[in-house]
Amino acid sequence: MNSSRYFRLPNLFSSNSTNMFFQRLFAMANYSFSSSSPSSKTSIQAVYDICKNNLTPSTSPPPQLIHELSSILDTIGPSDVGLRDEHQEDDRGHGFSTPNTLNRLDRWAQPITYIDLNESQSFTMCMFCFPTSSVIPLHDHPGMTVLSKVLYGSLHVKGYDWVEPPLIKDSKEIARAPVRLAKLAVDKVLSAPCSTSVLYPKTGGNLHCFTAITSCAVLDILTPPYEEYSGRKCTYYRDYPYSSFGSGDELIDGKEDEYAWLEEIDAPDDLYMRQGIYAGPPIRM
């Protein structure tokens, strides 16, 4: 995946320390390809093949395809993609440190690791490895369907869908952009093992944020992928309580705490990410 299309992934480490990190964090599972049947197929290969043969950049996947992909993703765990279950409380996602190596502030400052499995015009398949308490801020997936499987650990997901027709209010404050009304679609903690989550272009929490309750990892399939010239640009938002801008005249279906006003913002400067290395079973493209 072209990382600039999704998140900035600064080159933060020397080659030696990077190798040390990934040797520990992304340890290869004990696969024995020589003893397995040549026709056998790994779970991640099965997911890739379904995506490659059925997903397109111009149409949303039909329900039966979503069901088929979700059924396979439900069976996938860390070892199926070359990850080790790294949620020990004293590790904070470092993978190579000991409890006394870094102080508490350093631990909370660890980056989220992005691992690219596939990037094409039809879909992106990738993983995110979160240290404890790390956050991917509120962002959207315009015109996209996204399947997410938590591989290990616990992740809090909070997601909104736009209220239609659009309800937009201009701010009286010069420094603030207009805000648009959205309704809460999901607000829960996903803990492995759990079922695959799916969001759709207009439903299911298309605008969402992730907060790692423990160190955790997520396998994502995005279809079609982000592509700015096609109108699929990742936009970030700040959410405000309904009472911040609601006058009471708006027609809302539910309680006020189920709604929020979202303001478009620049990509956060403190979104701390780095590129990872896929260490699972080979995927035949």
Side-chain angles (χ1 to χ4, degrees), residues 33-216:
F33 297 107
S34 60
S35 61
S36 61
S37 169
S39 61
S40 64
K41 182 183 292 189
T42 63
S43 297
I44 196 64
Q45 182 70 54
V47 170
Y48 171 82
D49 288 346
I50 293 172
C51 291
K52 180 181 179 181
N53 294 330
N54 296 278
L55 297 178
T56 73
S58 57
T59 59
S60 297
Q64 62 268 26
L65 180 55
I66 293 292
H67 176 74
E68 183 178 5
L69 280 170
S70 296
S71 296
I72 300 178
L73 288 170
D74 286 347
T75 69
I76 291 180
S79 63
D80 296 304
V81 288
L83 294 179
R84 196 175 63 189
D85 192 338
E86 288 278 28
H87 61 271
Q88 291 87 356
E89 187 61 24
D90 63 354
D91 201 14
R92 305 299 184 194
H94 284 269
F96 61 86
S97 67
T98 61
N100 297 321
T101 301
L102 300 171
N103 62 36
R104 182 174 295 274
L105 179 61
D106 289 332
R107 292 176 184 278
W108 298 135
Q110 288 304 294
I112 297 167
T113 302
Y114 171 84
I115 305 171
D116 177 27
L117 278 70
N118 176 79
E119 173 72 21
S120 70
Q121 291 184 334
S122 297
F123 70 99
T124 291
M125 188 159 62
C126 60
M127 293 189 292
F128 294 92
C129 296
F130 297 79
T132 302
S133 298
S134 58
V135 177
I136 294 182
L138 189 62
H139 63 283
D140 64 354
H141 294 270
M144 301 160 65
T145 300
V146 182
L147 294 88
S148 299
K149 173 65 192 306
V150 177
L151 299 169
Y152 66 77
S154 296
L155 183 73
H156 179 254
V157 181
K158 186 175 185 179
Y160 299 94
D161 294 323
W162 292 122
V163 169
E164 298 290 352
L167 183 54
I168 300 172
K169 289 193 174 184
D170 291 322
S171 173
K172 296 180 181 179
E173 300 180 28
I174 298 176
R176 179 175 291 161
V179 294
R180 180 176 173 182
L181 190 62
K183 186 174 183 179
L184 189 65
V186 58
D187 187 7
K188 62 182 179 181
V189 174
L190 300 175
S191 296
C194 58
S195 300
T196 301
S197 298
V198 185
L199 65 84
Y200 300 91
K202 295 184 178 181
T203 60
N206 191 281
L207 308 102
H208 61 205
C209 60
F210 293 143
T211 303
I213 305 301
T214 67
S215 67
C216 56

